[in-house]
Amino acid sequence: MTGDHQTLALVLFGAFVAVTLGITTYVSRNRHGSAEEFYAGGRLFSPMENGFAIAGDYMSAASFLGISGLIALYGYDGLLYSVGFLVAWLVVLFLVAELVRNCGRFTLADVVAARMRERPVRIAAGTSSVTVSVLYLVAQMVGAGSLVALLLGGTSEAAQTWTVIGVGALMVIYVSMGGMRATTWIQIVKAVLLMAGAIALTVLVLMRFHGDFDQLLRTAADRSGHGGQFLAPGLKYGGDWTSRFDFISLGLALVLGTAGLPHILSRFYTVPTARAARRSVVWSIGLIGSFYLMTIVLGFGAAAIVGTDAVKGSNAAGNTAVPLLALDLGGGADSTGGTVLFAVVAAIAFATILAVVAGITLASSASVAHDLYASLRRKNAKPRSEVAVARVAAVGIGAVAIGLGLVARDLNVAFLVGLAFAVAASANLPVLLYSLFWRQFTTRGAVWSVYGGLLPSLVLVVLSPVVSGSPNSLFPDVDFQYFPLENPGLVSIPLGFLAGWFGTVTSSDPADEAKHAETEVRSLTGAGAA
């Protein structure tokens, strides 16, 4: 890329960072340091504000960079990611949004622990939440590294490394200084920027083809090198039975995983009532649905305008398809319009990454402090000490995410998020649904449900082609691949539900009927909710 690209994009990066740091500094001077303020922003956000923040939290680097890249590389099969991410919100809207808001205070473990023995349940749920959050963070780090490598010419590993470290440092600052209130406003600003950028690019792509979407698809198929197969199922997930099962596994993970993501569940606690939580989800579905429809246009647009080979040549995983598309739509690499549009899109993508990592880091640090630390030292854990622990946890989680992000730099960010969704659907969703809807559910069932989904999903990932045994693996030179699927959801999600059932029916301690009745009334009416 030219020096003009670099200069302008870096100026825009700097402007966004300056604005968000200003928001964080302002908010940190106007808060009283309580746990409710740090974890939930004082529960003062309106449904519209929270809906924009949820959308900002959910529309991550995987959405903007990864999905568009997969569509540009694999056509119809890449489009399936968009469908899965969107359909997942129906599960959130109809099954968990209001009930989670009524039953919990800050984290997933609050919902489960309401009718169980707290310590083992909080430790299990807290461990699972941190694991999911770290996997999700790794995807954002990889996206940041790919973006800046493209900006600086695509060859500098040092640039990727320092970018990942810089993003990690910024997210720690956002979380430790501003808590949920600053994080929410950063996500709102980012959601507005991302929607504006996606709308502008979509309009430009459609204008290039005079509004003829059919012509766009035909051109994309021609330039993909796959012809008509590009627009039909099977290019990535239909070659053999293994890839077909992999597709089913991915679909289950995407559709069921959203309802188990800690940073999404924590957003329901930032509004004053369950009704506001439900309205927040309606706002977010409108924004997210519109955005994923636009990713379809952007993905096929990148294939048609930039070309699949050029996308793959820039980044094998397709993470740079949208910035390359912006460069071409603006007039090319040597044009002022191309320079400006590329820089704006790169800055928006970078803003996307910063906002999402802030939300995930806050959710995971809250799990460490509110669930793990408070469970192990309950007598000494006062609200202010919890907040202090959460700030320290943010630093530790940031360091882990940085390290893993550097290792996984060559994987597609949408694929990495798919793994996080699989773990969330396997470990968090079963225990959440059982706690809300099964009267006989016990503490043993809750603990077994979490670990019965978490451990198999992690073990299967380690034994899958993602880690070893193929040229695109994390460690291509070794082979300990024993599980053929890239996504473990098809096996690990049923195991999570089965483990919860088996732990309950074999438990010697009966379920607490009184606590279940109290939880049921609270979940349905909001009586006694925090």
Side-chain angles (χ1 to χ4, degrees):
M1 297 300 159
T2 65
D4 290 339
H5 289 98
Q6 297 177 21
T7 303
L8 184 56
L10 291 173
V11 168
L12 291 171
F13 287 170
F16 180 81
V17 171
V19 169
T20 51
L21 286 176
I23 292 172
T24 303
T25 303
Y26 176 78
V27 169
S28 67
R29 295 172 59 186
N30 291 274
R31 58 181 175 81
H32 49 79
S34 68
E36 184 171 293
E37 175 71 30
F38 186 81
Y39 295 142
R43 309 189 201 281
L44 298 175
F45 292 99
S46 70
M48 185 182 75
E49 291 169 344
N50 198 45
F52 269 84
I54 291 173
D57 226 347
Y58 193 70
M59 297 184 302
S60 64
S63 302
F64 193 49
L65 301 177
I67 292 177
S68 300
L70 285 172
I71 294 173
L73 296 181
Y74 301 109
Y76 181 91
D77 282 11
L79 180 151
L80 296 172
Y81 274 85
S82 292
V83 176
F85 280 129
L86 179 56
V87 171
W89 279 97
L90 298 178
V91 179
V92 177
L93 177 62
F94 292 118
L95 282 183
V96 303
E98 290 188 58
L99 306 183
V100 165
R101 173 62 187 83
N102 284 335
C103 290
R105 292 185 66 221
F106 306 125
T107 64
L108 165 69
D110 287 336
V111 180
V112 183
R115 49 176 294 208
M116 310 290 176
R117 285 188 288 115
E118 287 203 27
R119 183 169 179 172
V121 168
R122 285 192 181 277
I123 291 173
T127 301
S128 173
S129 295
V130 171
T131 303
V132 172
S133 297
V134 169
L135 284 173
Y136 211 109
L137 280 172
V138 170
Q140 311 309 312
M141 298 298 190
V142 170
S146 299
L147 190 67
V148 172
L150 174 66
L151 179 68
L152 299 179
T155 58
S156 175
E157 288 193 7
Q160 291 189 52
T161 300
W162 283 108
T163 300
V164 170
I165 293 172
V167 170
L170 283 170
M171 77 184 185
V172 170
I173 293 171
Y174 291 147
V175 172
S176 59
M177 286 181 61
M180 179 59 85
R181 189 171 297 186
T183 299
T184 299
W185 282 111
I186 291 168
Q187 287 160 345
I188 291 171
V189 172
K190 166 256 174 148
V192 172
L193 290 174
L194 185 58
M195 288 298 293
I199 290 170
L201 288 178
T202 300
V203 169
L204 289 172
V205 169
L206 293 176
M207 286 175 61
R208 178 72 67 92
F209 292 92
H210 307 290
D212 188 345
F213 191 70
D214 185 54
Q215 180 62 33
L216 166 63
L217 294 180
R218 287 200 302 269
T219 306
D222 291 340
R223 295 205 62 189
S224 70
H226 299 286
Q229 292 182 332
F230 192 68
L231 304 179
L235 195 59
K236 181 174 174 61
Y237 292 114
D240 52 32
W241 281 107
T242 299
S243 63
R244 293 173 188 174
F245 280 119
D246 221 342
F247 165 64
I248 296 172
S249 187
L250 173 67
L252 283 174
L254 295 182
V255 171
L256 299 178
T258 299
L261 292 176
H263 65 290
I264 297 298
L265 295 175
S266 67
R267 292 240 54 93
F268 300 137
Y269 301 124
T270 64
V271 290
T273 64
R275 182 170 181 268
R278 188 177 182 87
R279 290 174 61 198
S280 297
V281 175
V282 173
W283 271 100
S284 64
I285 286 177
L287 293 166
I288 292 166
S290 303
F291 175 78
Y292 282 121
L293 288 175
M294 290 186 285
T295 63
I296 296 172
V297 177
L298 298 181
F300 284 115
I305 296 171
V306 179
T308 298
D309 290 339
V311 171
K312 191 177 295 185
S314 172
N315 181 274
N319 294 331
T320 57
V322 172
L324 289 174
L325 174 64
L327 186 64
D328 199 297
L329 289 171
D334 298 324
S335 68
T336 302
T339 299
V340 171
L341 195 57
F342 172 88
V344 169
V345 168
I348 290 173
F350 199 69
T352 294
I353 292 164
L354 286 178
V356 172
V357 296
I360 301 168
T361 305
L362 179 61
S364 53
S365 62
S367 292
V368 171
H370 185 64
D371 299 328
L372 300 178
Y373 173 76
S375 295
L376 296 173
R377 297 189 57 192
R378 180 157 302 282
K379 293 182 180 179
N380 300 321
K382 298 178 181 179
R384 287 185 181 275
S385 66
E386 266 190 37
V387 172
V389 171
R391 292 194 176 104
V392 174
V395 178
I397 290 165
V400 172
I402 288 169
L404 292 176
L406 295 175
V407 171
R409 69 179 67 187
D410 294 326
L411 295 180
N412 181 277
V413 288
F415 167 72
L416 287 170
V417 167
L419 294 182
F421 272 63
V423 178
S426 304
N428 291 348
L429 184 65
V431 72
L432 179 61
L433 295 183
Y434 278 147
S435 298
L436 292 173
F437 299 110
W438 189 14
R439 183 181 298 273
Q440 304 302 321
F441 198 43
T442 64
T443 299
R444 175 190 279 186
V447 174
W448 283 26
S449 181
V450 173
Y451 292 129
L454 178 64
L455 296 178
S457 60
L458 294 178
V459 170
L460 291 177
V461 168
V462 171
L463 300 179
S464 75
V466 177
V467 175
S468 70
S470 73
N472 297 322
S473 301
L474 279 178
F475 305 108
D477 298 329
V478 294
D479 187 359
F480 45 87
Q481 173 196 334
Y482 298 100
F483 181 67
L485 306 183
E486 293 184 348
N487 192 294
L490 185 62
V491 175
S492 59
I493 295 172
L495 284 178
F497 281 99
L498 183 63
W501 171 81
F502 190 69
T504 296
V505 299
T506 60
S507 176
S508 57
D509 296 327
D512 191 322
E513 294 285 343
K515 283 188 176 181
H516 174 266
E518 179 184 343
T519 301
E520 188 173 39
V521 170
R522 177 183 294 178
S523 67
L524 295 175
T525 67

